[in-house]
């Protein structure tokens, strides 16, 4: 930091010297009646003065800062997906549809911050980004993010939920692409790449190596989803009832782990 | 009369024992004839430090790049609720569409203690084995336990897959590529040894739970990147042979006292003695060096130097050694060919082969000399 300040000072000194020199030269040229030279020198003086201004207050902000804060972007991606999702999927959706620049590393601290914020002043924010809860122990599921305003049973992860979640998100992504094309625009290449990547692992959703067709992905994913949906819902509903009955307002959002007791005690 | 465990502790001295892991046990099965490795491992001696003390450090370790690559490939295979894995298992094992239930045992309610995870694994697997109706299909991060030479070793296979046919399969995810349906044989051999160990541990767990151990399949699903892309592909690997050799090796480890009985009672492998003394102590335990040891055993460079110094045929590889069965050293072979050693009837065939090879070499060098001259 000291080095940086030193650099700026040297630059400012040089510029000030140059400005004084230029002013002197302008006076001389004016006295000599050389108007063309005066105009050229004044242009140079203005350039030097602008450089001096810039050097005094350097603009550290990059030009292309996304307009939304990270948690808003995550919220946007999760709302599109509609199910608890892994950070990688959130990043992929954010990149495909919202041209955002969220990285997985930025998301690691997010969950902890949200919990801290909720504990210090509950419900101060309209929504919180919280972990999905495992159906068995109602503890936070590893690496899966959800939104606090979703109903309890949507935030629960049962044994079948990883698969139903995957199929549902594939359908949501395909639907969003259809919406975009229907509105006259077209989805980005990244969006199609994401859809194709997901479709490869859904039976009957793709043929060959080409770009996946959204309508076909939706029907194929739906066909498999029907098989799992009923028992998955039953599982999650059971767990949600347990959660509502047994957990307090913090653990209902952020999960009850075997570690929670010691953590809250410390 | 001291128990084997006391003897092993005495061999190690004051140093803390090094725990076995899946790699070390699999490496044991890779060279079952080596008493030296069996004793050093059973005593929990730090082989890397010993090799450094002897002046033959093994210049290898696990590369951070390889580890990162392996981790990222495993993440890819398991991403999106094991989407890739389910596709592969549906192809290879014929998993039906409803079989997608997934349980992660990486922690139990946020607690990742080994004992807890192991208990949870046992409970989950028992439930799956007993109740086909509501059972889970994929068990991620299961933790198995195996007693090896009196110590409990925790083993973590990549995934255990349960199929409706009532059989459990170990799934091993490796990041070496299968190109044109062939992979590096050494890598496949290492992977199958490791998987055999998991199969063995799973069978042991089933036996302890009173479930038929034959419900663990000896066919392991190996998941690797296909060709030059990062797209996963799966093959079935039969590990019966590795399983048999592992079983023999592990029973030998428990019967380590038979080797110990042959050793002098005051033997010690502590590092406070001079390298020469330590080398002498270690040489009292017989080693069976093979060039393959270089990639799996820290003592390999020491054993190789020994094998070379005494002109042992081991240094030339297993095939050569087996072909020249009954002959101990390079000198003995040369003597036999030169006629200094009288060929006994069992060596007659070997002598014939050696002469034949000698004749071919002779013709070859002659032809070369003619080609050079013209």
């Amino acid at each position: 930091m000291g080095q940086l300040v030193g650099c700026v000072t040297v630059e400012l000194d040089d510029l000030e010297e140059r400005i004084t020199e230029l002013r002197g030269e302008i006076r001389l040229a004016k006295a000599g009646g050389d108007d063309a030279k005066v105009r050229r020198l004044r242009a140079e003086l203005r350039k030097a003065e602008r450089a001096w201004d810039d050097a005094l207050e350097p603009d550290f902000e990059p030009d292309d800062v996304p307009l939304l804060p990270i948690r808003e972007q995550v919220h946007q991606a999760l709302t599109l997906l509609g199910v608890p999702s892994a950070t990688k999927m959130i990043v992929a959706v954010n990149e495909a549809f919202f041209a955002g620049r969220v990285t997985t590393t930025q998301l690691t601290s997010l969950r902890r911050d949200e919990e801290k914020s909720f504990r210090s002043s509950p419900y101060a924010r309209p929504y919180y980004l919280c972990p999905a809860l495992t159906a068995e122990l109602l503890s936070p599921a590893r690496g899966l993010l959800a939104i606090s305003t979703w109903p309890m049973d949507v935030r629960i992860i049962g044994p079948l939920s990883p698969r139903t979640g995957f199929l549902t998100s594939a359908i949501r992504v395909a639907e969003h692409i259809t919406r975009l094309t229907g509105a006259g625009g077209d989805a980005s290449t990244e969006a199609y790449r994401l859809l194709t990547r997901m479709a490869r692992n859904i039976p009957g959703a793709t043929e060959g190596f080409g770009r996946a067709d959204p309508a076909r992905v939706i029907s194929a994913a739906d066909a498999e989803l029907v098989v799992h949906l009923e028992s998955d819902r039953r599982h999650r509903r059971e767990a949600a009832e347990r959660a509502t009955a047994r957990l307090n307002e913090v653990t209902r959002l952020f999960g009850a782990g075997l570690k929670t007791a010691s953590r809250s005690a410390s | 009369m001291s128990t084997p465990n006391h003897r092993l502790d005495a061999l190690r001295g004051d140093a803390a024992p090094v725990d076995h892991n899946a790699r070390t046990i699999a490496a044991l099965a890779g060279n079952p004839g080596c008493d030296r490795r069996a004793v050093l491992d059973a005593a929990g001696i730090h082989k890397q430090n010993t090799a450094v003390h002897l002046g033959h450090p093994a210049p290898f370790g696990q590369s951070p790049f390889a580890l990162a690559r392996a981790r990222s490939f495993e993440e890819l295979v398991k991403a999106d609720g094991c989407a890739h894995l389910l596709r592969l298992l549906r192809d290879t094992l014929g998993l039906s569409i409803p079989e997608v239930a997934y349980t992660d045992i990486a922690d139990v309610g946020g607690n990742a203690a080994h004992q807890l995870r192991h208990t949870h694994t046992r409970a989950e697997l028992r439930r799956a084995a007993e109740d086909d109706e509501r059972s889970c299909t994929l068990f991620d991060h299961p933790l198995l336990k195996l007693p090896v030479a009196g110590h409990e070793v925790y083993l973590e296979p990549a995934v255990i897959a349960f199929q409706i046919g009532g059989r459990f399969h170990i799934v091993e995810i490796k990041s070496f590529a299968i190109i044109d349906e062939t992979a590096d044989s050494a890598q496949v051999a290492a992977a199958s040894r490791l998987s055999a160990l998991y199969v063995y541990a799973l069978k042991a767990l089933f036996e302890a739970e009173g479930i038929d151990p034959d419900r663990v399949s000896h066919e392991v699903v190996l998941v690797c990147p296909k060709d030059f892309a990062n797209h996963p592909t799966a093959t079935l690997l039969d590990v019966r042979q590795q399983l048999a050799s592992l079983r023999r090796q592990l029973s030998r480890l428990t019967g380590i006292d038979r080797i110990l009985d042959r050793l002098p009672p005051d033997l010690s492998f502590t590092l406070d003695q001079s390298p020469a003394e330590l080398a002498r102590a270690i040489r009292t335990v017989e080693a069976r060096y093979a060039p393959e040891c270089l990639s799996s055993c820290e003592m390999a460079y020491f054993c190789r130097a020994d094998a070379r110094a005494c002109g042992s045929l081991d240094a030339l590889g297993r095939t050569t050694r087996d072909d020249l069965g009954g002959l101990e050293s390079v000198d003995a072979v040369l003597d036999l060919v030169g006629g200094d050693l009288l060929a006994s009837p069992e060596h007659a065939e070997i002598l014939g082969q050696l002469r034949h090879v000698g004749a071919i070499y002779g013709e070859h060098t002659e032809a070369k000399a003619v080609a050079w001259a013209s």
Side-chain angles (χ1 to χ4, degrees), chain A residues 88-89 136-137 139 142 159-160 162-163 166 200-201 203 224 228 257-259, chain B residues 75 80-81 83-84 86-87 90 97-98 100-102 106-110 120 124:
Chain A
K88 266 206 177 137
M89 180 57 88
E136 200 184 1
L137 294 165
S139 58
R142 280 159 74 94
L160 294 169
R163 187 65 184 173
F166 169 68
R200 291 256 164 82
N201 291 321
E224 196 189 325
H228 314 302
L258 295 182
K259 259 186 347 197
Chain B
E75 271 172 21
D80 302 328
H84 273 300
L86 281 171
R87 171 177 58 83
R90 281 169 182 173
I97 295 288
V100 295
Y102 166 92
D107 57 29
V108 183
H120 197 59
E124 286 287 342

mmCIF file of all heavy atoms in Angstrom, chain A residues 88-89 136-137 139 142 159-160 162-163 166 200-201 203 224 228 257-259, chain B residues 75 80-81 83-84 86-87 90 97-98 100-102 106-110 120 124:
data_model
loop_
_atom_site.group_PDB
_atom_site.id
_atom_site.type_symbol
_atom_site.label_atom_id
_atom_site.label_comp_id
_atom_site.label_asym_id
_atom_site.label_seq_id
_atom_site.Cartn_x
_atom_site.Cartn_y
_atom_site.Cartn_z
ATOM 1 N N LYS A 88 -22.378 -25.232 -7.907
ATOM 2 C CA LYS A 88 -21.930 -25.317 -9.304
ATOM 3 C C LYS A 88 -23.086 -25.048 -10.256
ATOM 4 O O LYS A 88 -22.920 -24.371 -11.269
ATOM 5 C CB LYS A 88 -21.361 -26.700 -9.580
ATOM 6 C CG LYS A 88 -19.877 -26.738 -9.384
ATOM 7 C CD LYS A 88 -19.242 -27.817 -10.222
ATOM 8 C CE LYS A 88 -17.745 -27.733 -10.028
ATOM 9 N NZ LYS A 88 -17.117 -29.015 -9.861
ATOM 10 N N MET A 89 -24.239 -25.608 -9.936
ATOM 11 C CA MET A 89 -25.412 -25.422 -10.786
ATOM 12 C C MET A 89 -25.854 -23.954 -10.749
ATOM 13 O O MET A 89 -26.198 -23.370 -11.774
ATOM 14 C CB MET A 89 -26.528 -26.351 -10.294
ATOM 15 C CG MET A 89 -27.806 -26.277 -11.079
ATOM 16 S SD MET A 89 -27.597 -26.604 -12.810
ATOM 17 C CE MET A 89 -27.761 -28.357 -12.850
ATOM 18 N N GLU A 136 -33.506 -37.205 6.908
ATOM 19 C CA GLU A 136 -33.305 -38.150 7.993
ATOM 20 C C GLU A 136 -33.059 -37.448 9.327
ATOM 21 O O GLU A 136 -33.718 -37.712 10.317
ATOM 22 C CB GLU A 136 -32.139 -39.059 7.646
ATOM 23 C CG GLU A 136 -32.174 -40.329 8.448
ATOM 24 C CD GLU A 136 -30.958 -41.183 8.167
ATOM 25 O OE1 GLU A 136 -30.107 -40.745 7.357
ATOM 26 O OE2 GLU A 136 -30.853 -42.254 8.769
ATOM 27 N N LEU A 137 -32.078 -36.531 9.328
ATOM 28 C CA LEU A 137 -31.677 -35.921 10.599
ATOM 29 C C LEU A 137 -32.000 -34.432 10.675
ATOM 30 O O LEU A 137 -31.690 -33.778 11.663
ATOM 31 C CB LEU A 137 -30.168 -36.110 10.797
ATOM 32 C CG LEU A 137 -29.699 -37.549 10.993
ATOM 33 C CD1 LEU A 137 -28.208 -37.649 10.801
ATOM 34 C CD2 LEU A 137 -30.089 -38.042 12.371
ATOM 35 N N SER A 139 -30.527 -32.163 9.324
ATOM 36 C CA SER A 139 -29.270 -31.412 9.411
ATOM 37 C C SER A 139 -29.001 -30.772 8.052
ATOM 38 O O SER A 139 -29.589 -31.168 7.050
ATOM 39 C CB SER A 139 -28.142 -32.367 9.773
ATOM 40 O OG SER A 139 -28.063 -33.383 8.801
ATOM 41 N N ARG A 142 -25.098 -31.149 2.551
ATOM 42 C CA ARG A 142 -23.825 -30.604 2.080
ATOM 43 C C ARG A 142 -23.961 -29.929 0.720
ATOM 44 O O ARG A 142 -24.409 -30.536 -0.238
ATOM 45 C CB ARG A 142 -22.801 -31.721 1.954
ATOM 46 C CG ARG A 142 -22.191 -32.110 3.256
ATOM 47 C CD ARG A 142 -21.620 -33.479 3.144
ATOM 48 N NE ARG A 142 -20.387 -33.475 2.374
ATOM 49 C CZ ARG A 142 -19.180 -33.387 2.931
ATOM 50 N NH1 ARG A 142 -19.066 -33.280 4.230
ATOM 51 N NH2 ARG A 142 -18.099 -33.395 2.186
ATOM 52 N N PRO A 159 -34.077 -39.192 0.068
ATOM 53 C CA PRO A 159 -33.186 -40.024 -0.744
ATOM 54 C C PRO A 159 -33.417 -39.878 -2.246
ATOM 55 O O PRO A 159 -32.494 -40.037 -3.033
ATOM 56 C CB PRO A 159 -33.507 -41.450 -0.303
ATOM 57 C CG PRO A 159 -34.382 -41.360 0.876
ATOM 58 C CD PRO A 159 -34.882 -39.977 1.010
ATOM 59 N N LEU A 160 -34.648 -39.584 -2.655
ATOM 60 C CA LEU A 160 -34.921 -39.473 -4.087
ATOM 61 C C LEU A 160 -34.733 -38.047 -4.599
ATOM 62 O O LEU A 160 -34.685 -37.809 -5.801
ATOM 63 C CB LEU A 160 -36.354 -39.932 -4.380
ATOM 64 C CG LEU A 160 -36.652 -41.405 -4.131
ATOM 65 C CD1 LEU A 160 -38.147 -41.667 -4.197
ATOM 66 C CD2 LEU A 160 -35.937 -42.268 -5.153
ATOM 67 N N PRO A 162 -32.234 -35.825 -4.781
ATOM 68 C CA PRO A 162 -31.180 -35.403 -5.710
ATOM 69 C C PRO A 162 -31.590 -35.633 -7.166
ATOM 70 O O PRO A 162 -31.335 -34.803 -8.031
ATOM 71 C CB PRO A 162 -29.985 -36.278 -5.330
ATOM 72 C CG PRO A 162 -30.202 -36.629 -3.910
ATOM 73 C CD PRO A 162 -31.694 -36.705 -3.729
ATOM 74 N N ARG A 163 -32.261 -36.769 -7.422
ATOM 75 C CA ARG A 163 -32.660 -37.065 -8.790
ATOM 76 C C ARG A 163 -33.834 -36.189 -9.214
ATOM 77 O O ARG A 163 -33.827 -35.605 -10.291
ATOM 78 C CB ARG A 163 -33.012 -38.553 -8.906
ATOM 79 C CG ARG A 163 -33.282 -39.020 -10.310
ATOM 80 C CD ARG A 163 -32.063 -38.920 -11.181
ATOM 81 N NE ARG A 163 -32.350 -39.281 -12.574
ATOM 82 C CZ ARG A 163 -31.474 -39.153 -13.554
ATOM 83 N NH1 ARG A 163 -30.269 -38.675 -13.313
ATOM 84 N NH2 ARG A 163 -31.783 -39.479 -14.776
ATOM 85 N N PHE A 166 -32.681 -32.759 -9.870
ATOM 86 C CA PHE A 166 -31.964 -32.645 -11.151
ATOM 87 C C PHE A 166 -32.942 -32.580 -12.313
ATOM 88 O O PHE A 166 -32.822 -31.736 -13.209
ATOM 89 C CB PHE A 166 -31.008 -33.837 -11.296
ATOM 90 C CG PHE A 166 -30.412 -33.983 -12.656
ATOM 91 C CD1 PHE A 166 -29.506 -33.054 -13.129
ATOM 92 C CD2 PHE A 166 -30.758 -35.053 -13.466
ATOM 93 C CE1 PHE A 166 -28.954 -33.184 -14.390
ATOM 94 C CE2 PHE A 166 -30.214 -35.192 -14.720
ATOM 95 C CZ PHE A 166 -29.314 -34.257 -15.190
ATOM 96 N N ARG A 200 -28.004 -35.058 -21.512
ATOM 97 C CA ARG A 200 -27.234 -36.287 -21.770
ATOM 98 C C ARG A 200 -27.514 -37.349 -20.723
ATOM 99 O O ARG A 200 -27.412 -38.539 -20.993
ATOM 100 C CB ARG A 200 -25.726 -35.981 -21.727
ATOM 101 C CG ARG A 200 -25.244 -35.142 -22.842
ATOM 102 C CD ARG A 200 -24.495 -35.976 -23.872
ATOM 103 N NE ARG A 200 -24.385 -35.208 -25.099
ATOM 104 C CZ ARG A 200 -23.460 -34.288 -25.294
ATOM 105 N NH1 ARG A 200 -22.543 -34.064 -24.379
ATOM 106 N NH2 ARG A 200 -23.420 -33.603 -26.416
ATOM 107 N N ASN A 201 -27.823 -36.923 -19.502
ATOM 108 C CA ASN A 201 -28.017 -37.886 -18.423
ATOM 109 C C ASN A 201 -29.480 -38.154 -18.123
ATOM 110 O O ASN A 201 -29.813 -38.680 -17.069
ATOM 111 C CB ASN A 201 -27.301 -37.399 -17.162
ATOM 112 C CG ASN A 201 -25.799 -37.453 -17.338
ATOM 113 O OD1 ASN A 201 -25.287 -38.391 -17.939
ATOM 114 N ND2 ASN A 201 -25.096 -36.454 -16.842
ATOM 115 N N PRO A 203 -32.668 -40.207 -19.703
ATOM 116 C CA PRO A 203 -32.950 -41.169 -20.761
ATOM 117 C C PRO A 203 -33.935 -40.611 -21.783
ATOM 118 O O PRO A 203 -34.978 -40.085 -21.417
ATOM 119 C CB PRO A 203 -33.556 -42.371 -20.018
ATOM 120 C CG PRO A 203 -33.437 -42.087 -18.573
ATOM 121 C CD PRO A 203 -32.996 -40.701 -18.368
ATOM 122 N N GLU A 224 -39.561 -39.367 -16.551
ATOM 123 C CA GLU A 224 -38.851 -40.019 -15.440
ATOM 124 C C GLU A 224 -39.328 -39.471 -14.097
ATOM 125 O O GLU A 224 -39.417 -40.200 -13.112
ATOM 126 C CB GLU A 224 -37.328 -39.850 -15.577
ATOM 127 C CG GLU A 224 -36.622 -40.849 -14.666
ATOM 128 C CD GLU A 224 -35.130 -40.654 -14.539
ATOM 129 O OE1 GLU A 224 -34.479 -40.260 -15.524
ATOM 130 O OE2 GLU A 224 -34.626 -40.894 -13.431
ATOM 131 N N HIS A 228 -40.664 -41.026 -9.841
ATOM 132 C CA HIS A 228 -40.136 -40.784 -8.492
ATOM 133 C C HIS A 228 -40.982 -39.843 -7.649
ATOM 134 O O HIS A 228 -40.881 -39.850 -6.431
ATOM 135 C CB HIS A 228 -38.738 -40.160 -8.557
ATOM 136 C CG HIS A 228 -37.824 -40.817 -9.521
ATOM 137 N ND1 HIS A 228 -37.517 -42.146 -9.442
ATOM 138 C CD2 HIS A 228 -37.128 -40.330 -10.580
ATOM 139 C CE1 HIS A 228 -36.689 -42.454 -10.417
ATOM 140 N NE2 HIS A 228 -36.435 -41.372 -11.134
ATOM 141 N N GLY A 257 -27.811 -29.800 13.365
ATOM 142 C CA GLY A 257 -26.757 -30.798 13.218
ATOM 143 C C GLY A 257 -26.420 -31.353 14.568
ATOM 144 O O GLY A 257 -26.858 -30.846 15.597
ATOM 145 N N LEU A 258 -25.609 -32.426 14.566
ATOM 146 C CA LEU A 258 -25.148 -32.956 15.839
ATOM 147 C C LEU A 258 -24.145 -31.989 16.452
ATOM 148 O O LEU A 258 -23.816 -32.068 17.602
ATOM 149 C CB LEU A 258 -24.503 -34.318 15.643
ATOM 150 C CG LEU A 258 -25.439 -35.417 15.164
ATOM 151 C CD1 LEU A 258 -24.708 -36.718 15.045
ATOM 152 C CD2 LEU A 258 -26.615 -35.554 16.113
ATOM 153 N N LYS A 259 -23.662 -31.074 15.619
ATOM 154 C CA LYS A 259 -22.675 -30.120 16.110
ATOM 155 C C LYS A 259 -23.335 -28.849 16.621
ATOM 156 O O LYS A 259 -22.712 -28.039 17.277
ATOM 157 C CB LYS A 259 -21.702 -29.768 14.984
ATOM 158 C CG LYS A 259 -20.419 -30.523 15.122
ATOM 159 C CD LYS A 259 -19.319 -30.180 14.156
ATOM 160 C CE LYS A 259 -19.598 -29.363 12.970
ATOM 161 N NZ LYS A 259 -18.528 -29.478 11.972
ATOM 162 N N GLU B 75 -15.964 -35.325 -8.604
ATOM 163 C CA GLU B 75 -17.056 -34.360 -8.447
ATOM 164 C C GLU B 75 -17.948 -34.338 -9.677
ATOM 165 O O GLU B 75 -19.170 -34.274 -9.582
ATOM 166 C CB GLU B 75 -16.491 -32.962 -8.200
ATOM 167 C CG GLU B 75 -16.275 -32.672 -6.736
ATOM 168 C CD GLU B 75 -15.551 -31.365 -6.522
ATOM 169 O OE1 GLU B 75 -15.564 -30.506 -7.430
ATOM 170 O OE2 GLU B 75 -14.954 -31.211 -5.446
ATOM 171 N N ASP B 80 -24.933 -33.198 -9.790
ATOM 172 C CA ASP B 80 -26.367 -33.229 -10.118
ATOM 173 C C ASP B 80 -27.018 -34.526 -9.664
ATOM 174 O O ASP B 80 -27.685 -35.205 -10.444
ATOM 175 C CB ASP B 80 -26.582 -33.071 -11.637
ATOM 176 C CG ASP B 80 -25.982 -31.799 -12.163
ATOM 177 O OD1 ASP B 80 -25.957 -30.825 -11.403
ATOM 178 O OD2 ASP B 80 -25.517 -31.785 -13.321
ATOM 179 N N GLY B 81 -26.831 -34.885 -8.414
ATOM 180 C CA GLY B 81 -27.453 -36.099 -7.897
ATOM 181 C C GLY B 81 -26.953 -37.342 -8.604
ATOM 182 O O GLY B 81 -27.728 -38.211 -8.970
ATOM 183 N N ALA B 83 -25.886 -37.754 -11.590
ATOM 184 C CA ALA B 83 -26.538 -37.903 -12.891
ATOM 185 C C ALA B 83 -25.712 -38.771 -13.844
ATOM 186 O O ALA B 83 -26.246 -39.686 -14.477
ATOM 187 C CB ALA B 83 -26.782 -36.535 -13.500
ATOM 188 N N HIS B 84 -24.409 -38.493 -13.940
ATOM 189 C CA HIS B 84 -23.550 -39.293 -14.822
ATOM 190 C C HIS B 84 -23.522 -40.747 -14.372
ATOM 191 O O HIS B 84 -23.645 -41.670 -15.173
ATOM 192 C CB HIS B 84 -22.117 -38.766 -14.780
ATOM 193 C CG HIS B 84 -21.881 -37.663 -15.761
ATOM 194 N ND1 HIS B 84 -22.049 -37.832 -17.107
ATOM 195 C CD2 HIS B 84 -21.470 -36.381 -15.582
ATOM 196 C CE1 HIS B 84 -21.763 -36.694 -17.719
ATOM 197 N NE2 HIS B 84 -21.422 -35.794 -16.819
ATOM 198 N N LEU B 86 -25.638 -42.457 -12.610
ATOM 199 C CA LEU B 86 -26.889 -43.182 -12.840
ATOM 200 C C LEU B 86 -26.987 -43.636 -14.295
ATOM 201 O O LEU B 86 -27.365 -44.771 -14.574
ATOM 202 C CB LEU B 86 -28.078 -42.295 -12.482
ATOM 203 C CG LEU B 86 -28.377 -42.205 -10.989
ATOM 204 C CD1 LEU B 86 -29.412 -41.141 -10.717
ATOM 205 C CD2 LEU B 86 -28.861 -43.542 -10.457
ATOM 206 N N ARG B 87 -26.583 -42.739 -15.205
ATOM 207 C CA ARG B 87 -26.628 -43.117 -16.628
ATOM 208 C C ARG B 87 -25.732 -44.335 -16.859
ATOM 209 O O ARG B 87 -26.127 -45.310 -17.507
ATOM 210 C CB ARG B 87 -26.138 -41.940 -17.488
ATOM 211 C CG ARG B 87 -25.944 -42.298 -18.945
ATOM 212 C CD ARG B 87 -25.537 -41.068 -19.766
ATOM 213 N NE ARG B 87 -24.318 -40.430 -19.288
ATOM 214 C CZ ARG B 87 -23.096 -40.830 -19.595
ATOM 215 N NH1 ARG B 87 -22.930 -41.874 -20.372
ATOM 216 N NH2 ARG B 87 -22.041 -40.195 -19.127
ATOM 217 N N ARG B 90 -27.119 -47.512 -15.281
ATOM 218 C CA ARG B 90 -28.266 -48.025 -16.046
ATOM 219 C C ARG B 90 -27.753 -48.797 -17.254
ATOM 220 O O ARG B 90 -28.338 -49.792 -17.654
ATOM 221 C CB ARG B 90 -29.159 -46.864 -16.488
ATOM 222 C CG ARG B 90 -30.040 -46.377 -15.356
ATOM 223 C CD ARG B 90 -30.737 -45.082 -15.673
ATOM 224 N NE ARG B 90 -31.534 -44.640 -14.541
ATOM 225 C CZ ARG B 90 -32.156 -43.481 -14.481
ATOM 226 N NH1 ARG B 90 -32.082 -42.627 -15.493
ATOM 227 N NH2 ARG B 90 -32.853 -43.152 -13.417
ATOM 228 N N ILE B 97 -35.232 -47.642 -13.832
ATOM 229 C CA ILE B 97 -35.487 -46.202 -13.681
ATOM 230 C C ILE B 97 -35.828 -45.796 -12.237
ATOM 231 O O ILE B 97 -35.320 -44.805 -11.733
ATOM 232 C CB ILE B 97 -36.591 -45.745 -14.666
ATOM 233 C CG1 ILE B 97 -36.112 -45.913 -16.102
ATOM 234 C CG2 ILE B 97 -37.020 -44.310 -14.412
ATOM 235 C CD1 ILE B 97 -35.068 -44.938 -16.565
ATOM 236 N N PRO B 98 -36.676 -46.574 -11.503
ATOM 237 C CA PRO B 98 -37.010 -46.105 -10.149
ATOM 238 C C PRO B 98 -35.840 -46.175 -9.164
ATOM 239 O O PRO B 98 -35.920 -45.598 -8.086
ATOM 240 C CB PRO B 98 -38.124 -47.054 -9.700
ATOM 241 C CG PRO B 98 -38.593 -47.738 -10.924
ATOM 242 C CD PRO B 98 -37.451 -47.757 -11.865
ATOM 243 N N VAL B 100 -33.040 -44.815 -7.901
ATOM 244 C CA VAL B 100 -32.177 -43.632 -7.922
ATOM 245 C C VAL B 100 -31.906 -43.107 -6.521
ATOM 246 O O VAL B 100 -31.190 -42.121 -6.365
ATOM 247 C CB VAL B 100 -32.801 -42.486 -8.750
ATOM 248 C CG1 VAL B 100 -32.901 -42.866 -10.197
ATOM 249 C CG2 VAL B 100 -34.155 -42.090 -8.202
ATOM 250 N N ALA B 101 -32.472 -43.755 -5.499
ATOM 251 C CA ALA B 101 -32.338 -43.207 -4.145
ATOM 252 C C ALA B 101 -30.866 -43.088 -3.770
ATOM 253 O O ALA B 101 -30.065 -43.965 -4.071
ATOM 254 C CB ALA B 101 -33.069 -44.100 -3.163
ATOM 255 N N TYR B 102 -30.544 -41.993 -3.124
ATOM 256 C CA TYR B 102 -29.140 -41.658 -2.880
ATOM 257 C C TYR B 102 -28.959 -41.245 -1.430
ATOM 258 O O TYR B 102 -29.752 -40.464 -0.895
ATOM 259 C CB TYR B 102 -28.783 -40.512 -3.820
ATOM 260 C CG TYR B 102 -27.504 -39.781 -3.533
ATOM 261 C CD1 TYR B 102 -26.315 -40.165 -4.138
ATOM 262 C CD2 TYR B 102 -27.491 -38.679 -2.678
ATOM 263 C CE1 TYR B 102 -25.147 -39.482 -3.886
ATOM 264 C CE2 TYR B 102 -26.318 -37.990 -2.421
ATOM 265 C CZ TYR B 102 -25.146 -38.400 -3.028
ATOM 266 O OH TYR B 102 -23.986 -37.728 -2.789
ATOM 267 N N ALA B 106 -21.152 -38.800 4.093
ATOM 268 C CA ALA B 106 -19.923 -38.047 4.329
ATOM 269 C C ALA B 106 -19.900 -37.485 5.746
ATOM 270 O O ALA B 106 -18.845 -37.262 6.322
ATOM 271 C CB ALA B 106 -19.795 -36.917 3.322
ATOM 272 N N ASP B 107 -21.072 -37.229 6.297
ATOM 273 C CA ASP B 107 -21.141 -36.862 7.711
ATOM 274 C C ASP B 107 -22.512 -37.268 8.235
ATOM 275 O O ASP B 107 -23.434 -37.542 7.468
ATOM 276 C CB ASP B 107 -20.877 -35.369 7.932
ATOM 277 C CG ASP B 107 -21.827 -34.499 7.152
ATOM 278 O OD1 ASP B 107 -22.957 -34.938 6.898
ATOM 279 O OD2 ASP B 107 -21.450 -33.371 6.800
ATOM 280 N N VAL B 108 -22.620 -37.354 9.529
ATOM 281 C CA VAL B 108 -23.909 -37.697 10.124
ATOM 282 C C VAL B 108 -24.355 -36.459 10.888
ATOM 283 O O VAL B 108 -23.802 -36.134 11.936
ATOM 284 C CB VAL B 108 -23.775 -38.897 11.079
ATOM 285 C CG1 VAL B 108 -25.137 -39.282 11.618
ATOM 286 C CG2 VAL B 108 -23.142 -40.070 10.367
ATOM 287 N N GLY B 109 -25.294 -35.753 10.336
ATOM 288 C CA GLY B 109 -25.774 -34.530 10.980
ATOM 289 C C GLY B 109 -24.664 -33.529 11.217
ATOM 290 O O GLY B 109 -24.606 -32.901 12.263
ATOM 291 N N GLY B 110 -23.744 -33.407 10.261
ATOM 292 C CA GLY B 110 -22.671 -32.421 10.395
ATOM 293 C C GLY B 110 -21.474 -32.935 11.167
ATOM 294 O O GLY B 110 -20.468 -32.252 11.276
ATOM 295 N N HIS B 120 -23.143 -45.558 10.914
ATOM 296 C CA HIS B 120 -24.223 -45.141 10.035
ATOM 297 C C HIS B 120 -24.187 -45.971 8.743
ATOM 298 O O HIS B 120 -25.237 -46.404 8.248
ATOM 299 C CB HIS B 120 -24.051 -43.653 9.724
ATOM 300 C CG HIS B 120 -25.288 -43.019 9.179
ATOM 301 N ND1 HIS B 120 -26.479 -43.006 9.860
ATOM 302 C CD2 HIS B 120 -25.523 -42.383 8.006
ATOM 303 C CE1 HIS B 120 -27.386 -42.392 9.126
ATOM 304 N NE2 HIS B 120 -26.837 -42.017 7.997
ATOM 305 N N GLU B 124 -27.186 -48.295 7.366
ATOM 306 C CA GLU B 124 -27.790 -48.060 6.050
ATOM 307 C C GLU B 124 -27.711 -49.313 5.190
ATOM 308 O O GLU B 124 -28.672 -49.687 4.519
ATOM 309 C CB GLU B 124 -27.070 -46.907 5.343
ATOM 310 C CG GLU B 124 -27.394 -45.528 5.890
ATOM 311 C CD GLU B 124 -28.795 -45.072 5.496
ATOM 312 O OE1 GLU B 124 -29.353 -45.641 4.554
ATOM 313 O OE2 GLU B 124 -29.324 -44.162 6.160
#
